[in-house]
Amino acid sequence: MANKDDKMFNTTVFLVLGFSDIRELQVLYFALFLLIYWTTVMGNLLIIILVTLNQQLHTPMYFFLINLSLADIGNISVSIPKAMSNSLMNTRIISYSECVFQVFFLILFSVTDLFLLTFMAYDRYIAICNPLHYGAVMNVGTCMQMAGGAWVSGIFCAMLHTGATFSMPFCSNVVNQFFCEIPQLLKLSCNGNSMIETRVNVFAACLALFCFVFIIFSYVQIFTNVLRIPSVQGRKKAWSTCMPHLIVVSLFICTGTLAYLCPTSEAPKDLVMMISALYSMLPPMMNPLIYSMRNQEIRAALLKFFGWKLYSKH
């Protein structure tokens, strides 16, 4: 392995961390990741199918939920299948192009997730705090523009981060993670953090802070208005539409904060990998479950869907 004071390393492949050197444990990790991956993909696909087939769910909130499910499927599909393949094949190698692919799409889907969650908070704010103008404000054109803006913003941020990261020379090819992520790749740079990447990180931090502040502000207004609703039934109905989104936002923020603010240089390798696995797998896997368990309309659509299938089968 080259030192950062040595000659620039000619990187054609990267070596990522494996979860274990014991063959039996590698197979066990493969089976566990496969179960989590298929549970996540099928859960999010089920949400997409339910919303698409049920006319009662053709509302702005569920339109954003479809986009969130698509982003979640993409997010977990970027890193986990490669980790499963490495465990099964007993290898740690990831090609340069695969590493670029992982960085680009991880940023794309993460940023898209963040913007979609922000727009969903705005949707709940309009629905509860300004219900008389909800139809005019959250019309089809506006929802399409907001969803399109989330995806375009994800692509833009992904291009910025990927270009800034891979424009730097690397003095090592050993990534201290089971997939390629920017913080670990920056540690391999011969020059440390470049000025370009520093500026990009500042821009991304400001963007994330704006989204978080907007979400918090929206829910402060929502809570204030819900408490003013005179009937208990009305308050329960308002809470039921907000709680799934609030739980999903909290899960996204907590796991993301844990993953990127944890001092990875001092932390043990196994802890770093566990935190990253938690961040990359838990939110996409839990989001469909949260919306299914906490949302009455999704539960009703789910029962209707499987009830109809069972009836048609008999």
Side-chain angles (χ1 to χ4, degrees):
M1 184 189 304
N3 258 322
K4 292 192 177 180
D5 297 326
D6 294 336
K7 189 178 178 181
M8 184 180 71
F9 192 86
N10 185 18
T11 307
T12 56
V13 296
F14 289 95
L15 297 178
V16 294
L17 293 180
F19 281 89
S20 176
D21 295 326
I22 303 173
R23 186 57 184 160
E24 289 76 10
L25 287 178
Q26 288 176 340
V27 175
L28 179 62
Y29 280 122
F30 169 80
L32 179 62
F33 281 178
L34 182 63
L35 177 62
I36 293 173
Y37 179 72
W38 278 112
T39 300
T40 303
V41 171
M42 296 307 294
N44 282 285
L45 280 178
L46 184 59
I47 291 290
I48 295 171
I49 292 170
L50 288 176
V51 175
T52 303
L53 295 181
N54 196 320
Q55 292 289 331
Q56 294 179 343
L57 300 182
H58 290 184
T59 62
M61 182 175 70
Y62 295 110
F63 171 73
F64 291 129
L65 183 57
I66 286 180
N67 283 270
L68 185 67
S69 293
L70 289 172
D72 283 341
I73 291 173
N75 211 335
I76 199 171
S77 298
V78 173
S79 56
I80 301 306
K82 182 61 179 177
M84 290 192 299
S85 173
N86 283 357
S87 293
L88 192 64
M89 303 299 293
N90 192 22
T91 181
R92 297 169 53 202
I93 293 175
I94 179 171
S95 69
Y96 185 90
S97 58
E98 286 177 318
C99 193
V100 174
F101 173 90
Q102 284 192 343
V103 169
F104 180 87
F105 282 100
L106 280 172
I107 298 296
L108 190 161
F109 292 124
S110 297
V111 172
T112 302
D113 259 355
L114 178 59
F115 272 95
L116 287 171
L117 290 172
T118 304
F119 293 146
M120 291 172 80
Y122 177 72
D123 172 74
R124 292 298 85 204
Y125 165 75
I126 297 296
I128 292 176
C129 300
N130 200 1
L132 297 178
H133 297 90
Y134 180 77
V137 175
M138 300 301 294
N139 55 59
V140 175
T142 301
C143 293
M144 294 289 288
Q145 290 173 4
M146 293 169 77
W151 288 99
V152 170
S153 299
I155 294 172
F156 177 71
C157 290
M159 290 174 64
L160 280 180
H161 278 287
T162 307
T165 301
F166 289 95
S167 64
M168 297 184 295
F170 295 111
C171 285
S172 173
N173 68 337
V174 181
V175 182
N176 190 32
Q177 188 54 271
F178 72 93
F179 61 93
C180 288
E181 65 173 359
I182 291 177
Q184 298 300 331
L185 289 172
L186 292 180
K187 294 178 182 179
L188 311 182
S189 171
C190 301
N191 307 324
N193 289 12
S194 70
M195 184 60 67
I196 297 175
E197 181 59 26
T198 301
R199 290 173 180 173
V200 170
N201 282 333
V202 170
F203 169 75
C206 292
L207 199 63
L209 182 62
F210 170 78
C211 291
F212 294 151
V213 169
F214 186 87
I215 291 172
I216 292 170
F217 173 79
S218 298
Y219 271 100
V220 168
Q221 298 297 315
I222 288 170
F223 291 156
T224 303
N225 279 268
V226 167
L227 293 175
R228 292 174 183 169
I229 298 175
S231 67
V232 176
Q233 192 65 29
R235 286 197 296 270
K236 284 184 178 180
K237 185 176 181 181
W239 285 123
S240 68
T241 62
C242 294
M243 287 308 295
H245 177 257
L246 189 58
I247 296 172
V248 168
V249 170
S250 301
L251 185 64
F252 182 84
I253 293 175
C254 291
T255 54
T257 302
L258 186 65
Y260 285 97
L261 295 186
C262 177
T264 55
S265 56
E266 296 86 8
K269 179 194 79 171
D270 293 339
L271 179 61
V272 172
M273 294 176 68
M274 185 180 71
I275 291 173
S276 298
L278 190 72
Y279 170 67
S280 59
M281 290 189 288
L282 191 61
M285 182 177 66
M286 293 301 296
N287 288 353
L289 183 62
I290 291 169
Y291 273 98
S292 298
M293 297 301 293
R294 299 290 305 179
N295 191 294
Q296 294 181 359
E297 292 176 321
I298 290 289
R299 287 206 308 269
L302 192 65
L303 291 173
K304 181 180 178 181
F305 177 78
F306 282 107
W308 181 81
K309 288 292 183 183
L310 184 62
Y311 176 78
S312 63
K313 183 179 179 180
H314 284 295

